[in-house]
Amino acid sequence: MKRTYIPFIIFSIGIAFTITCAAKPVEESVKWPDTKFLFIIGVGVCVAALIAWRLAVSSGKINTPEKRTASSKDLFQKLHECRDCARQIGNKINEFDSNSLCEVIDELLINHMNPFVESRHVLIDHFGMLKGSDILLKTAFAERQFNRVWSASSDHCLAEAKVSFEMALSAMDDIVDYVEHLD
Amino acid sequence: MKEQLNPKEVVKDLATGYRELTFAAVFLGIVQGVILNLAFVYAALKLGFSIGGSTVAAIMGYALLSGVMKKGTSLENNINQTIASGINTAGTGIVFTLPALFMLNAKWVAAGEPGIEFSVWPLIFGGISGSILGTVLIIPLRKQMIEVERLRFPSGVAVTTIIRSGSTGLGKAKLLGIGFLISAVWKMLLLSGWLEMFGVHEEEFNFGFGIIPSYLSPILYLSLMNLGAGLLSGKGGLPFFIGGILAWWVISPVAANAGLFGGVEWVPALTELEALGFDTQEDYIYSVMLRPLGIGTLIGGALMGVVVCFPAIVSAFRSLANSAKTSGSNSSSNGTQELSLKVIVIGTIIGISLFFVGSLMTEGVTVWQAIIGSLIGTVWLAVAGLIVAQATGMTDISPMSGMALISVTLMMFVFSNNVAAAMVVGVAVCVAIGQGADMMQDLKTGFMLGSKPAKQQIVQFATTWIGALLAIGVIYVLWKSGPGGQGGFGEGTALPAPQAGALMGIIDAVKSGNVPMDKYVMGGAIGGLLAAAPMSGLGVLIGLAMYLPFSITLGYGIGCISNMTLKKMYGVAFIEHKVVPVAAGFIVGEALTGVGHATFTIIRTLI
């Protein structure tokens, strides 16, 4: 059984109990319900379970470096694949017409960009909230530029699509450099 | 291969530029915004609800910019819908609050009590202040919620699907159309009343059949828009559903059956309930226990969420500061795409100053009260904006009325029960949180289309105040249109203003000291605990589940579970290419049918 399960279960039961105690209507001319002491006990149990849960989550990260490295490696691979795919599109960008450029951008976003950003918890676990958020913000800029390529291409403004694509590709290179530098 | 890149085409395209922030888009957005604002202010007074204008504006924008002008782009249409929905939404914030002031004054005067002294100027200052602060608040939150937390914002996704529908190929456009048709026909069936013979009442189906007790709330809201929001949210919305189950299938039975175990009854007997003004045990449990507790949980969850995500918020501010540094160096860099920290600071100062002036101009308010009121009002506005933006981002549902309730309650304390002063702040907060939620949906659309956020934010700054002014003007005119120059809306008239009626009840309750403070405080603690758990957004989602009737949570949860099942069976691409357009069609279909029905109802009354 995972070490996070027990605190999670205690927290869930504790919070259900606490909410139930808080929900009781107050009697007339009284400020608090008569379940207030039970409510306080429930809060105490929840706080204890919460501390245990957070400790279990963080000790789980520290005690399983192999797993941590594996999921981080997987994530970095996704990032490299995304950049490589973008580069391949960039090499052939003059050969695409509007529809085909939209299609390859769709594929890039669904198959490479989305899996990377959806693993953001791994990123935050690995680098911490501050640096993880920095990476996500930089990635979001690249993603928005790819979306702009799609829109410009569908509006038959291929020049704008190309300019935006170059900005997205440059942002992808920056992210890879930044992540490698951090790691 | 006519469309392929060639040097001549590149030079021509770059010279003309990619159409985004154009005169046509701004003009069309303002015209549509004004029309939608006037129509929906009237509709809200009549029907008690308003409708976001993004979908209507996007469809009209597509028809006019691309169809008629033949040169419109997706991003130009995005600017158009941003302006139109911004002007429209500012009106919603006003119409849910301001009429209560007129109606209360008339009620108290009729009862021989002293009336409320108020003038239009403080309210105008409050409305404009709300427009500015609501937009300012969204600048850093955009980065946090759209780029870091990546919240779904279902209506934003739906509008993106509409704008893109002309370019995504026939397949997706067909699916959008199918979703739209199913939803529109279903909504018409619900509105027609024909489904009542099958036990459907007010768009809800009771599957209890007299066997399942009412305290388990065996009711399903039959809205395909609600189902579509769940379908778009997927796994991320599941805690909201679990919160509903906890509220209605755990807490509610305990409350209803407490007496069985020898304890004191939590819910009065049916005869007593009727005397208290409740029809069923479910009504009592919802109104007295779960809803106020849900409001407290929402507030506690949002505040603790800020603490937990503090490093990410720092990162968002740092990114904005970096944007300002790079903005002058390269015209196509990220710098010119973001509004800088300076705008946030200046906007906040202007907003607070207007707040202060508006409060001070109100009869009976001292300078100190105005200073404290404007500062507390601004802090509360930021918290409420955060709650509403998170709730709409995760579920597409806005707890605006709950936030209005807390705003007025809080300000009645600050201004020593001065209703007019509390209402100035109430108007500002409601306009701001409405703006915040709407702007966030628009920015999500902008993100998915690749729009520059600064352009959307600039047009929002420049135009939303129009909506606040228009709505205040319409409400004044309608009130004066009554017999003897007053009473143009309210109970017993053609415009019953139900939302304002509810707010009147709250103000009366605050004046008589009947505020469920225990529920707000205990709920705040629960929200704090939930938000501190290592699961993102738990406090707001579970708070929202307690705040809303279970019928809505259940329909939404079915959507979430369907999304997860389909993803497991057919993969992510199936969700993106098939489920998203159909779900977007559900949202658009119901929204447009709702607009059509509101228009039809009003015209029928006028004739």
Side-chain angles (χ1 to χ4, degrees):
Chain A
M1 188 187 257
K2 261 188 170 179
R3 65 177 65 205
T4 52
Y5 283 179
I6 293 172
F8 169 73
I9 290 166
I10 295 172
F11 179 79
S12 303
I13 295 168
I15 204 81
F17 176 78
T18 310
I19 296 175
T20 310
C21 293
K24 189 178 181 197
V26 288
E27 303 290 321
E28 251 180 74
S29 71
V30 178
K31 280 189 176 170
W32 302 93
D34 56 14
T35 47
K36 59 180 177 289
F37 293 112
L38 292 173
F39 172 83
I40 293 167
I41 291 169
V43 170
V45 170
C46 287
V47 170
L50 203 53
I51 293 167
W53 189 4
R54 281 207 168 265
L55 284 175
V57 168
S58 51
S59 71
K61 283 177 211 161
I62 294 159
N63 291 336
T64 55
E66 302 84 10
K67 200 176 168 188
R68 176 189 170 188
T69 314
S71 50
S72 308
K73 266 186 184 167
D74 186 34
L75 189 70
F76 297 150
Q77 196 172 338
K78 280 177 190 164
L79 180 63
H80 278 279
E81 280 170 9
C82 187
R83 197 258 307 258
D84 294 345
C85 178
R87 277 187 177 167
Q88 280 170 20
I89 296 170
N91 292 337
K92 295 190 288 184
I93 195 153
N94 291 335
E95 296 167 24
F96 293 115
D97 62 13
S98 294
N99 288 340
S100 53
L101 187 54
C102 285
E103 276 171 25
V104 291
I105 293 292
D106 259 345
E107 279 171 24
L108 170 76
L109 292 172
I110 292 173
N111 299 331
H112 299 288
M113 183 62 89
N114 287 354
F116 175 69
V117 291
E118 276 170 16
S119 311
R120 60 190 175 280
H121 60 281
V122 179
L123 200 69
I124 288 169
D125 284 352
H126 189 87
F127 291 113
M129 180 73 93
L130 189 63
K131 285 175 183 158
S133 300
D134 279 348
I135 297 167
L136 286 170
L137 289 170
K138 286 173 191 292
T139 312
F141 175 72
E143 188 182 354
R144 185 155 52 79
Q145 289 308 124
F146 283 129
N147 287 334
R148 192 176 178 87
V149 175
W150 197 102
S151 296
S153 179
S154 73
D155 289 325
H156 308 283
C157 298
L158 288 171
E160 174 70 24
K162 193 182 176 191
V163 170
S164 300
F165 190 87
E166 279 165 8
M167 287 173 71
L169 193 53
S170 156
M172 287 304 299
D173 287 335
D174 283 350
I175 299 160
V176 173
D177 287 348
Y178 183 70
V179 169
E180 281 173 354
H181 174 72
L182 283 178
D183 212 39
Chain B
M1 291 293 212
K2 191 184 161 197
E3 288 172 341
Q4 283 176 357
L5 278 171
N6 63 59
K8 272 186 192 169
E9 190 133 352
V10 170
V11 171
K12 188 186 137 205
D13 269 14
L14 290 177
T16 51
Y18 183 38
R19 293 174 67 87
E20 187 169 357
L21 179 50
T22 61
F23 175 77
V26 173
F27 181 74
L28 182 61
I30 292 175
V31 170
Q32 288 203 86
V34 168
I35 295 169
L36 290 170
N37 180 296
L38 296 176
F40 290 150
V41 163
Y42 191 87
L45 284 172
K46 182 155 193 71
L47 309 170
F49 62 87
S50 189
I51 301 158
S54 293
T55 43
V56 182
I59 290 170
M60 289 306 293
Y62 183 75
L64 294 171
L65 293 169
S66 301
V68 177
M69 289 175 55
K70 304 281 182 200
K71 56 181 180 179
T73 67
S74 310
L75 302 191
E76 208 177 357
N77 194 4
N78 184 45
I79 292 288
N80 152 59
Q81 69 87 15
T82 300
I83 295 172
S85 66
I87 295 175
N88 176 41
T89 312
T92 309
I94 304 275
V95 78
F96 282 178
T97 47
L98 183 57
L101 196 57
F102 290 91
M103 287 155 64
L104 260 181
N105 181 41
K107 183 184 161 189
W108 289 351
V109 169
E113 293 174 30
I116 306 166
E117 292 284 334
F118 68 96
S119 80
V120 69
W121 288 106
L123 298 162
I124 288 176
F125 279 115
I128 296 175
S129 162
S131 303
I132 294 171
L133 289 171
T135 314
V136 165
L137 176 72
I138 289 312
I139 297 171
L141 283 187
R142 184 193 78 81
K143 285 192 162 287
Q144 166 66 16
M145 290 186 187
I146 295 176
E147 300 190 346
V148 177
E149 289 184 43
R150 302 185 70 83
L151 302 184
R152 192 63 167 159
F153 290 100
S155 284
V157 175
V159 173
T160 309
T161 312
I162 294 173
I163 293 177
R164 280 184 159 186
S165 62
S167 319
T168 44
L170 209 56
K172 278 190 183 175
K174 252 187 193 172
L175 289 171
L176 178 75
I178 289 169
F180 175 90
L181 270 181
I182 293 171
S183 182
V185 169
W186 182 243
K187 179 74 179 173
M188 280 192 266
L189 272 175
L190 288 171
L191 291 169
S192 69
W194 291 344
L195 294 176
E196 282 192 13
M197 68 178 93
F198 301 106
V200 174
H201 181 61
E202 289 183 350
E203 304 190 16
E204 290 184 335
F205 176 63
N206 189 329
F207 55 88
F209 304 111
I211 301 165
I212 303 173
S214 78
Y215 58 73
L216 292 177
S217 189
I219 299 169
L220 178 65
Y221 180 37
L222 297 172
S223 156
L224 286 183
M225 180 188 258
N226 191 34
L227 181 80
L231 271 171
L232 288 175
S233 301
K235 195 179 166 188
L238 208 57
F240 174 54
F241 181 49
I242 293 168
I245 289 177
L246 173 69
W248 288 99
W249 291 354
V250 177
I251 297 167
S252 183
V254 169
N257 298 300
L260 293 179
F261 307 104
V264 183
E265 295 280 1
W266 287 20
V267 181
L270 275 175
T271 46
E272 289 176 57
L273 281 178
E274 279 169 19
L276 291 168
F278 299 101
D279 293 334
T280 59
Q281 284 184 317
E282 181 203 349
D283 283 348
Y284 180 85
I285 290 169
Y286 175 61
S287 306
V288 177
M289 298 159 68
L290 294 176
R291 192 168 187 264
L293 198 59
I295 291 173
T297 307
L298 276 169
I299 296 167
L303 289 174
M304 183 57 86
V306 172
V307 175
V308 172
C309 293
F310 190 70
I313 294 168
V314 169
S315 179
F317 272 99
R318 211 169 53 182
S319 169
L320 285 171
N322 289 339
S323 300
K325 281 180 206 159
T326 57
S327 63
S329 59
N330 180 354
S331 64
S332 48
S333 72
N334 194 19
T336 52
Q337 306 199 2
E338 303 282 353
L339 287 184
S340 68
L341 275 176
K342 208 189 284 177
V343 178
I344 301 179
V345 174
I346 295 171
T348 308
I349 292 169
I350 295 173
I352 294 177
S353 306
L354 288 172
F355 230 140
F356 170 76
V357 174
S359 304
L360 194 61
M361 285 169 75
T362 312
E363 184 83 20
V365 174
T366 63
V367 175
W368 279 113
Q369 276 182 322
I371 292 171
I372 294 168
S374 52
L375 291 176
I376 293 180
T378 305
V379 172
W380 166 245
L381 180 148
V383 174
L386 184 68
I387 293 169
V388 171
Q390 275 190 325
T392 45
M394 289 190 261
T395 65
D396 219 29
I397 298 163
S398 161
M400 196 198 238
S401 59
M403 296 304 108
L405 183 159
I406 296 286
S407 310
V408 175
T409 306
L410 186 68
M411 287 304 137
M412 292 274 283
F413 284 118
V414 172
F415 291 115
S416 314
N417 281 356
N418 182 332
V419 178
M423 200 57 86
V424 170
V425 183
V427 163
V429 172
C430 279
V431 170
I433 57 182
Q435 282 299 315
D438 169 72
M439 187 68 202
M440 206 62 114
Q441 299 273 16
D442 293 341
L443 287 166
K444 176 73 178 186
T445 304
F447 180 82
M448 294 178 76
L449 292 171
S451 186
K452 292 177 180 169
K455 292 191 173 175
Q456 281 183 277
Q457 287 158 345
I458 286 167
V459 294
Q460 186 94 355
F461 262 126
T463 57
T464 46
W465 57 272
I466 300 172
L469 284 186
L470 264 180
I472 291 173
V474 170
I475 288 166
Y476 258 84
V477 169
L478 288 174
W479 181 254
K480 297 277 180 196
S481 69
Q486 62 167 353
F489 50 77
E491 213 174 327
T493 69
L495 301 170
Q499 289 279 2
L503 191 58
M504 268 173 71
I506 290 158
I507 293 170
D508 272 338
V510 175
K511 279 199 89 125
S512 59
N514 195 13
V515 178
M517 204 50 84
D518 63 309
K519 297 286 174 281
Y520 296 159
V521 173
M522 288 170 143
I526 291 163
L529 286 170
L530 286 164
M535 286 172 115
S536 171
L538 212 54
V540 168
L541 284 174
I542 290 187
L544 195 62
M546 289 194 281
Y547 168 80
L548 290 169
F550 188 52
S551 55
I552 294 177
T553 320
L554 186 59
Y556 179 89
I558 291 170
C560 294
I561 292 169
S562 305
N563 171 302
M564 290 161 67
T565 312
L566 291 169
K567 195 185 248 181
K568 204 166 187 183
M569 286 167 70
Y570 302 110
V572 180
F574 179 81
I575 297 290
E576 292 298 328
H577 293 307
K578 309 282 181 195
V579 176
V580 168
V582 174
F586 284 169
I587 293 175
V588 179
E590 187 167 326
L592 291 190
T593 313
V595 172
H597 180 254
T599 314
F600 172 71
T601 309
I602 290 164
I603 291 171
R604 201 175 55 179
T605 319
L606 292 175
I607 292 169

